[in-house]
Amino acid sequence: MLDNTHDAARRSWVSSANAHDDFPIQNLPLGIFSRADGARRAGVAIGDFILDLTRLAEAGLIDAEAADAVVATGDGTLNGLFALGNAPRRSLRQQLFALLEESSRDRARVEPLLHAAKDCKLHMPAVIGDYTDFYAGIHHALNVGRLFRPENPLLPNYKYVPIGYHGRTSSIDISGKGIVRPNGQRKRPDEIDPTFGPCRNLDYELELGFWIGTGNDLGKPINIAQAADHIAGISLLNDWSARDVQAWEYQPLGPFLAKNFATTISPWVVTAEALAPFRAAQLARPDGDPAPLPYLYDSKDQAAGAFDILMEAFLVPSGAEQGDAHRLSCGSSISMYWTPGQLVAHHTSGGCNLQPGDLLGSGTLSGETPDSRGSLLEITNGGRVPFQLASGQSRVFLEDGDTVIYRGHCRRDGFASIGFGECRGTVLPAP
Ligand code: MN
């Protein structure tokens, strides 16, 4: 589904958009913003600006299906737009592209509807009805499995079932918020009884968040052949994790309070259309791995169901300046063992209904190499091996005042690079 909006040669009259690290005209991610009056409205990021979609529609500068898409954001969320499906979203992208292109004749009418992004406040893009976090990063599963079961790191179900758990939506917030270190029950191996107190092993997980567009009715699974059409876009996601709490509580029902105190997402939804040039074949399964069961197998999904998104994590240690950010890891989302479409097909296969604005986390995305490990649990080999920072400090897990920043970019020869903007959070002391 490539078209003129993916042409790397096209430029915008918004000069900061040209060669912008995240938001050139080929991206056009959707979000919710407000200005001094506090009213939440849908916007699109272009260079260093946000274009007000509501005012654009009111001015009659967009029409037909694209205008319907904007009207659907009237409640200050993208849920209604997501619910309309792909065609109105694609139409909106095409009309926005034409209005913002260098050759546009409407510049004089569009320009007053741009706001400097630094003067705007961003909000949650959608009301998230339900949130599910998967475990699709096989290198993460292997790295973590090796810590506990060196001989047999992957459990026998891993290559058959996309593993996941139902998470908590109330504590999901956008980039820039403080993350209060949770109190919880934890017990070190050398302790006889657990105690309640501040988490000692606070960690992050480098993930993608997949936004559900159209959902499905209860009892009507989404077929793998159509599953990708139900993903409206992608954000970066940090599944903050209290490892000591997790170790004590996770058996037999899985993560609970270790995960439900905070999740951070980047506020811009990079649409499925913007990501079209960066689709990739599903991770090749090594010889001997089982083929996906038929309900998870589709030749088109195998050929182009994955995404190649370069993901980086940085640590700005407590007291340091942003310029002293330490790069924790760099890897690609191509390492997912399951495609987003397979996650959707599996999630609904028993009849469960997804709804517009639901969020699916990928699971921690680590690569094969040591410099691409997406959590401190992996980087420090289970908390056993500290790592050094340029300042001479060292870390095992996160300390109060530490800031974790994610960046994500899609780069491919012949196409304009696009990015996700920031996903950041700063650790605050336990209450
Ligand atoms: Mn996770």
Side-chain angles (χ1 to χ4, degrees):
M1 293 299 274
L2 297 183
D3 57 33
N4 63 308
T5 68
H6 301 103
D7 182 347
R10 306 292 184 99
R11 293 164 59 85
S12 174
W13 51 260
V14 180
S15 56
S16 65
N18 298 320
H20 193 275
D21 197 33
D22 287 309
F23 308 132
I25 191 171
Q26 290 84 359
N27 192 348
L28 304 176
L30 302 170
I32 297 293
F33 76 102
S34 65
R35 301 183 66 230
D37 66 3
R40 296 187 184 198
R41 292 200 293 273
V44 63
I46 176 80
D48 296 334
F49 294 86
I50 297 173
L51 178 58
D52 186 329
L53 294 180
T54 308
R55 295 280 178 266
L56 201 65
E58 286 169 359
L61 285 159
I62 47 179
D63 60 17
E65 269 189 312
D68 295 343
V70 175
V71 168
T73 66
D75 63 352
T77 76
L78 298 179
N79 295 75
L81 187 159
F82 288 164
L84 292 175
N86 299 342
R89 204 178 59 234
R90 191 172 299 132
S91 170
L92 177 62
R93 172 181 172 84
Q94 279 162 350
Q95 293 192 25
L96 289 171
F97 192 90
L99 289 168
L100 290 165
E101 237 200 310
E102 226 164 25
S103 60
S104 169
R105 275 180 247 151
D106 293 306
R107 172 175 178 170
R109 294 176 70 199
V110 176
E111 202 157 14
L113 308 178
L114 289 175
H115 304 297
K118 64 177 171 51
D119 298 333
C120 298
K121 190 174 171 196
L122 292 167
H123 301 277
M124 285 289 285
V127 175
I128 302 170
D130 277 296
Y131 161 53
T132 302
D133 196 23
F134 283 92
Y135 197 56
I138 187 167
H139 300 298
H140 172 72
L142 281 165
N143 290 338
V144 173
R146 277 188 202 108
L147 294 174
F148 301 104
R149 296 174 303 277
E151 305 304 313
N152 189 22
L154 282 187
L155 292 168
N157 58 4
Y158 188 85
K159 292 181 173 178
Y160 291 92
V161 187
I163 302 294
Y165 67 94
H166 286 117
R168 186 80 193 160
T169 62
S170 61
S171 53
I172 304 178
D173 211 335
I174 58 162
S175 177
K177 304 294 174 66
I179 304 301
V180 177
R181 179 183 300 272
N183 286 304
Q185 274 199 39
R186 65 273 200 278
K187 189 181 92 59
R188 278 194 290 247
D190 60 329
E191 293 173 327
I192 293 163
D193 294 315
T195 52
F196 184 85
C199 164
R200 296 160 174 150
N201 298 351
L202 185 62
D203 200 355
Y204 61 86
E205 292 192 336
L206 179 60
E207 306 197 17
L208 293 175
F210 304 104
W211 293 98
I212 297 299
T214 51
N216 60 305
D217 292 334
L218 184 63
K220 299 272 167 61
I222 295 172
N223 190 286
I224 181 66
Q226 281 85 44
D229 293 339
H230 290 261
I231 293 167
I234 301 181
S235 294
L236 305 176
L237 185 149
N238 186 341
D239 176 24
W240 301 93
S241 297
R243 297 299 183 198
D244 46 352
V245 176
Q246 186 176 0
W248 173 235
E249 76 172 5
Y250 86 104
Q251 287 177 316
L253 283 185
F256 184 30
L257 272 64
K259 302 280 194 175
N260 72 3
F261 60 95
T263 304
T264 304
I265 56 169
S266 56
W268 291 107
V269 178
V270 178
T271 64
E273 293 72 50
L275 291 163
F278 310 104
R279 286 190 161 274
Q282 189 185 22
L283 183 72
R285 295 184 172 216
D287 286 345
D289 277 19
L293 291 178
Y295 80 100
L296 293 174
Y297 185 89
D298 174 73
S299 56
K300 200 167 142 237
D301 183 64
Q302 295 286 307
F307 291 97
D308 186 2
I309 301 169
L310 197 70
M311 298 167 68
E312 293 173 288
F314 299 89
L315 173 68
V316 181
S318 176
E321 302 292 326
Q322 169 114 13
D324 297 328
H326 169 90
R327 188 160 85 167
L328 294 157
S329 69
C330 178
S332 169
S333 61
I334 212 160
S335 65
M336 285 175 69
Y337 194 76
W338 304 100
T339 66
Q342 287 174 315
L343 302 183
V344 167
H346 181 68
H347 201 304
T348 62
S349 61
C352 176
N353 48 334
L354 294 174
Q355 296 179 308
D358 281 0
L359 189 65
L360 306 184
S362 59
T364 309
L365 297 179
S366 296
E368 264 185 294
T369 54
D371 61 355
S372 59
R373 292 174 179 159
S375 68
L376 293 180
L377 184 69
E378 295 161 83
I379 290 171
T380 67
N381 197 14
R384 288 189 278 269
V385 184
F387 61 97
Q388 298 296 316
L389 302 169
S391 62
Q393 292 179 285
S394 68
R395 284 289 184 280
V396 180
F397 289 103
L398 297 171
E399 297 191 2
D400 292 347
D402 283 354
T403 298
V404 177
I405 302 171
Y406 295 168
R407 310 274 308 176
H409 290 96
C410 299
R411 307 189 200 279
R412 187 176 159 202
D413 284 349
F415 292 92
S417 296
I418 62 172
F420 287 74
E422 253 187 16
C423 179
R424 75 156 60 204
T426 299
V427 178
L428 303 177

